[in-house]
Amino acid sequence: MNWGVDGVTVSAGVGQERCHTEENGCYAKTMAVSPLSRPKVDVAADLALQVRADFPILQRQVNGHPLIYLDNAATSQKPQVVLQAVDQYYRHSNANVHRGVHTLSNEATDAYEGAREKIARFINSPSPQQVIYTRNASEAINLVAYSWGLSTLAQGDEIILSVMEHHSNLIPWQLVAQKTGAHLKFIRITPKGELDLEHYQSLLSDRTRLVAVAQVSNMLGSLNPVQEVIELAHRYGAKVLLDACQSVPHLPVDVQALNCDWLAFSGHKMCGPTGIGVLYGKRDLLQAMPPFLGGGEMIADVYLDHATYADIPHKFEAGTPAIAQAVGLGAAVDYLSQIGLDCIHTHEQQLITRLLDGIQQIPGVTVYGPTDPKQRAGLVSFSVEAIHPHDLSTLLDEQGIAIRAGHHCTQPLHRYLKLQSTARASVYLYNTLAEVDRFLEVLAEAVEFFTVALS
Ligand SMILES: *Cc1c(COP(=O)(O)O)cnc(C)c1O
């Protein structure tokens, strides 16, 4: 895994695996699901029309209608290349990693570690060692809370979060605060639905040890000014963890440019399998942090009464990892990189501009979060005066349209906005303008039906 020497490019596909030549294994050949085989995307044309055929599930019908999948903020669909990578791994190379000295084990290890390299390049991590596999973003955040938080925080220390955090970036800190005596403080949002930077500045002090915020809110859709958040926190010597669940799948994220201390995200929201997530961290921090879970894989030398630990990233990967899922995430990263995150973000902003324009013309609809599409990622939460979000979701489902209804794992934010629950439509690279129009049409019909029925 000679990261520095290799100098492979960002768009490297599966076929470019450095140690898989024609002679030493058929991995490169049988894993020939390289996204490089798909035609290059024409940036001027509609992205969705060029990629839809890559996603088998988009061909199915739901309740007699073509599926319109607008629940991407909960999980994304998977392209053929990812399904094939997982399938091929099990069919051809399945073995445990870092253990056996036999061909399959070596292939499995190369595939698993090769995926780590792809992910590292994807977020511009200085090294693949700083990419730790977890089960999901929740586990990545818990890792930091239990390892760094429990060993570092003390009575009187302060942790700054925001009122818009997902429960996954709230509960771990509540647990750690209860155990250490640290205090939680919360950045408010402005009436426009943006992170209140002035309020943030008033919370920062020499007692601040950690700032943990979402780069993109999964309820408000707001693109938070994380660069400023990080710079300000560092002035007080505080560390910053970014919850990048809604950013890494949708826009270019560069951990070195951001200078964040940790970054957490899930594979399943970025075309990858469930069961795999990532924690990126700065090298010195990760090396200083004690292990989170103990077991096989994470050790150097074990005695009956003590043990020494493996170097990062293995120190944090106890037990047999999610190998096939990691390989699948590697294929997802190849796929997304080849299309280009800039291209995906631009496409989503077009969809959201149309969605925001249309939805605001429907009577009785309230939209949450920034009104300017440029300050948003690809999701919109809203409520309709006369219809409960769950009823709305059921009505849309009857027409094959999948949206989310509920509190979206942000109960405190809903309470803050004096809401019980909301509906949320969220887009990804494969959604078309026609789908957005169909969603608006069905929504308008539902609103009209309920308004007439209730009057
Ligand atoms: C989805 C999400 C999470 C949690 O991700 P899991 O995959 O459920 O661990 C955390 N934060 C945000 C902003 C999310 O959207």
Side-chain angles (χ1 to χ4, degrees), residues 151-229:
S151 64
T152 312
L153 297 170
Q155 188 84 33
D157 285 346
E158 292 178 358
I159 299 171
I160 298 180
L161 312 171
S162 84
V163 295
M164 68 173 88
E165 295 316 308
H166 188 284
H167 297 165
S168 294
N169 195 28
L170 171 62
I171 313 289
W173 304 116
Q174 289 179 351
L175 292 169
V176 162
Q178 282 159 14
K179 287 190 164 75
T180 58
H183 292 293
L184 302 181
K185 302 213 150 182
F186 297 93
I187 312 168
R188 290 194 296 250
I189 54 174
T190 65
K192 283 164 93 184
E194 291 160 17
L195 197 73
D196 188 337
L197 275 179
E198 263 177 48
H199 184 237
Y200 170 53
Q201 271 170 287
S202 77
L203 296 179
L204 280 165
S205 78
D206 294 336
R207 289 190 298 274
T208 312
R209 293 283 170 274
L210 173 76
V211 178
V213 291
Q215 186 167 14
V216 170
S217 160
N218 68 309
M219 190 278 182
L220 299 167
S222 43
L223 288 165
N224 290 327
V226 288
Q227 194 91 53
E228 259 177 287
V229 168

Side-chain angles (χ1 to χ4, degrees), residues 8 32 86 88 258 405:
V8 249
V86 173
Q88 276 304 313
L258 285 168

Side-chain angles (χ1 to χ4, degrees), residues 73-74 136-139 141 166 168 214 216-218 243 245-246 266 268-269:
N136 47 38
S138 302
E139 190 179 87
I141 297 169
H166 188 284
S168 294
V216 170
S217 160
N218 68 309
D243 174 350
C245 281
Q246 300 293 345
S266 282
H268 69 92
K269 292 180 180 176

Side-chain angles (χ1 to χ4, degrees), residues 22 43 60 69 81 141 201 354 375 406-407 438:
E22 296 283 311
V43 287
R60 72 163 280 182
Y69 187 76
V81 283
I141 297 169
Q201 271 170 287
R354 177 91 130 235
Q375 308 225 22
H407 51 66
R438 177 68 188 144

